[in-house]
Amino acid sequence: MDKTELQNLLQEVAAGTVPVQQAALRLRMEPFGELGFAKPDYQRGLRQGIPEVIYGAGKTPQQIISIASALREHGQRTVLVTRTSPESAEIICRSLDAVYYTDARIVAVGQIPPVSAPGTVLVATGGTSDLPVAEEAAVTAELFGNRVQRLYDVGVAGIHRLLSHTQDIMQASVIIAVAGMEGALASVIGGLADCPVIAVPTSVGYGASFGGVSALLSMLNSCASGVSVVNIDNGFGAGYQASLINHMNLEKNT
């Protein structure tokens, strides 16, 4: 749909000849773009509430710049590029209005959105080695309009560190628990919190951790109710899911 078609549709809605629900459906069904090497989805934000995100690993800086530019030209105010190397990020930031979050390996192109949900997303890690995955989750949630609180290095090897933040845990709207080794942090937090807990197993650990499989299985077998699990090292998926949860009450009240 081009600008003229969009203007005509809006005029029909204003005139009452097209119901609002029908117009919204037409917008959600808009086609994707065609760049040859990629097909950017311009209407994902209308369908899913969160616009398209670019997975940076395996893409050249020029491909990322082209996709991000196309999304921006079609009205997407913020474009996230995940798993971006410092070398690619440097090229992207020279070409576009962008910010690189080094620890998270995320490039944000365009506007940095304000907080748009009332609750807090708490991101906790078992250790400092889990920080890259935790930052991917935290920055993702922030760039989707969430207030984020970080609680790092509070693993069960020194559980008093975690228990000293019990009030923060109980006040959070969503908690992301990031841990490697045996992945016990998610179960402990799940036993303290009254909100959804998203567990993120990391590939941190010695040989028998099997690159995060041990933590993944521990989290899947958690005896604490309300704990869900994303894939190994998938901080982005956890931040995305946390944002959806944190915005649910807001959407119901609007």
Side-chain angles (χ1 to χ4, degrees), residues 15 67 104 196:
I67 299 170

Side-chain angles (χ1 to χ4, degrees), residues 131-208:
L131 191 145
V133 177
E135 275 299 293
E136 184 179 54
V139 171
T140 295
E142 287 176 333
L143 293 174
F144 287 152
N146 299 274
R147 183 181 299 105
V148 174
Q149 180 180 359
R150 292 161 170 82
L151 192 59
Y152 290 170
D153 195 24
V154 290
V156 298
I159 200 169
H160 56 291
R161 299 173 300 181
L162 177 67
L163 297 178
S164 68
H165 294 277
T166 301
Q167 183 173 349
D168 295 323
I169 293 170
M170 292 182 173
Q171 290 178 339
S173 297
V174 191
I175 298 174
I176 300 173
V178 184
M181 299 291 187
E182 86 281 30
L185 180 66
S187 290
V188 175
I189 290 179
L192 296 172
D194 65 350
C195 64
V197 176
I198 304 170
V200 187
T202 70
S203 52
V204 172
Y206 297 101

Side-chain angles (χ1 to χ4, degrees), residues 7-238:
Q7 289 174 348
N8 291 337
L9 177 60
L10 294 176
Q11 289 172 355
E12 291 174 338
V13 172
T17 58
V18 175
V20 172
Q21 294 83 355
Q22 182 180 338
L25 179 60
R26 285 171 59 181
L27 291 172
R28 290 191 180 99
M29 295 177 64
E30 268 295 286
F32 48 81
E34 179 57 74
L35 301 180
F37 58 87
K39 294 177 174 61
D41 186 352
Y42 301 136
Q43 301 300 333
R44 187 174 300 182
L46 288 172
R47 294 196 316 275
Q48 297 185 323
I50 293 178
E52 181 160 19
V53 174
I54 302 171
Y55 179 70
K59 294 183 177 68
T60 67
Q62 290 72 26
Q63 289 173 336
I64 294 171
I65 290 168
S66 296
I67 299 170
S69 297
L71 292 170
R72 292 276 291 150
E73 288 169 3
H74 283 77
Q76 188 166 322
R77 287 175 291 182
T78 309
V79 180
L80 271 66
V81 187
T82 65
R83 299 298 170 96
T84 312
S85 68
E87 296 77 15
S88 291
E90 183 179 358
I91 297 172
I92 295 166
C93 290
R94 283 204 306 261
S95 301
L96 301 173
D97 176 20
V99 177
Y100 183 48
Y101 297 84
T102 305
D103 290 336
R105 295 175 294 172
I106 288 176
V107 172
V109 181
Q111 302 176 20
I112 305 300
V115 173
S116 55
T120 297
V121 176
L122 177 65
V123 181
T125 71
T128 306
S129 297
D130 302 308
L131 191 145
V133 177
E135 275 299 293
E136 184 179 54
V139 171
T140 295
E142 287 176 333
L143 293 174
F144 287 152
N146 299 274
R147 183 181 299 105
V148 174
Q149 180 180 359
R150 292 161 170 82
L151 192 59
Y152 290 170
D153 195 24
V154 290
V156 298
I159 200 169
H160 56 291
R161 299 173 300 181
L162 177 67
L163 297 178
S164 68
H165 294 277
T166 301
Q167 183 173 349
D168 295 323
I169 293 170
M170 292 182 173
Q171 290 178 339
S173 297
V174 191
I175 298 174
I176 300 173
V178 184
M181 299 291 187
E182 86 281 30
L185 180 66
S187 290
V188 175
I189 290 179
L192 296 172
D194 65 350
C195 64
V197 176
I198 304 170
V200 187
T202 70
S203 52
V204 172
Y206 297 101
S209 69
F210 299 109
V213 173
S214 178
L216 171 64
L217 295 177
S218 294
M219 290 172 171
L220 287 171
N221 284 285
S222 173
C223 63
S225 302
V227 175
S228 59
V229 187
V230 298
N231 208 347
I232 298 169
D233 292 337
N234 189 10
F236 166 75

